[in-house]
Amino acid sequence: MNIILLGAPGAGKGTQATRIAEKYRLPHISTGDIFRDNIKRGTEIGLLAKSYTDKGQLVPDEVTCKIVEGRLKEADCADGYLLDGFPRNLFQAEELDKFSKVDAVINIDIDLSLLMDRLCGRRVCKDCGESYHINFLGGKSDCEKCGGELYQRKDDNEETVGNRLKVYGEQTAPLIEYYRKKNVLINIDGVGTIDEVFARIAAALGQAK
Ligand code: ADP
Ligand code: ADP
Ligand code: ZN
């Protein structure tokens, strides 16, 4: 199955993606992770992306779409994929329709007022990318899954989060209607524990198959 995870920054896409990818054996493709990896390695794409990610703006469509199109052609995507963070505007959604067929779009629905706290308290494993929250870490500073060091993303600060939420409302939220009209939208209540939200997703995907 070709699955898209939709939702505001901090809705829990990455957290749920790890679990969905494991259960359904799908490659987890996060455009945010791809950009952060390029920034870390200092590639040309990374240098360009950094000027946008630092401000909470979208990296230009042309660059982003080309990366995703190339990635979906790789062998591990032949039997399906899980896209996290792409598409993020109508142009990207229309481009994706040209090079792939989307089977299900999981929209993690959550009140935007909860997201500032989720994002400013987020800590991410530098080795495996798993997300945590300071409220649940009990002071721990390493990853439960792999022991890697946890860090705070540079764009998880109040000012940049404010921009990201604005960009989400203006550019990404309209995709909910776009996919509803195509009859592939699965709306999931994003409030509850991580396990509760995952159980809702698994139940909905079980029916969608
Ligand atoms: P996204 O990929 O959508 O930006 P993440 O999965 O990284 O979001 O989650 C953002 C923050 O919220 C992280 O700190 C994560 O630990 C926390 N989080 C994720 N799911 C839940 C949940 N169901 N309840 C409470 N906090 C959550
Ligand atoms: P979050 O999960 O918190 O929403 P991401 O890791 O998905 O954050 O994205 C981080 C940043 O990477 C975005 O603010 C944006 O600058 C860039 N980015 C990620 N995906 C895309 C995309 N599909 N189009 C343009 N820019 C993107
Ligand atoms: Zn880890």
Side-chain angles (χ1 to χ4, degrees), residues 9 31-32 36 53 57 59 64 85-86 88 92 122 153 164:
T31 40
R36 280 184 291 279
T53 57
Q57 291 168 354
V59 178
T64 309
F86 183 95
R88 253 179 157 91
Q92 293 181 4
R122 171 162 65 185
R153 268 169 53 175
R164 284 155 67 202

Side-chain angles (χ1 to χ4, degrees), residues 7-10 13-14 30-33 35-36 49 52-54 56-61 64 84-89 92 119 122 153 155-156 164:
K13 299 181 300 297
S30 154
T31 40
D33 285 350
F35 288 134
R36 280 184 291 279
Y52 296 91
T53 57
D54 276 355
Q57 291 168 354
L58 297 185
V59 178
D61 290 332
T64 309
D84 163 9
F86 183 95
R88 253 179 157 91
N89 60 27
Q92 293 181 4
L119 289 167
R122 171 162 65 185
R153 268 169 53 175
D155 57 346
D156 281 346
R164 284 155 67 202

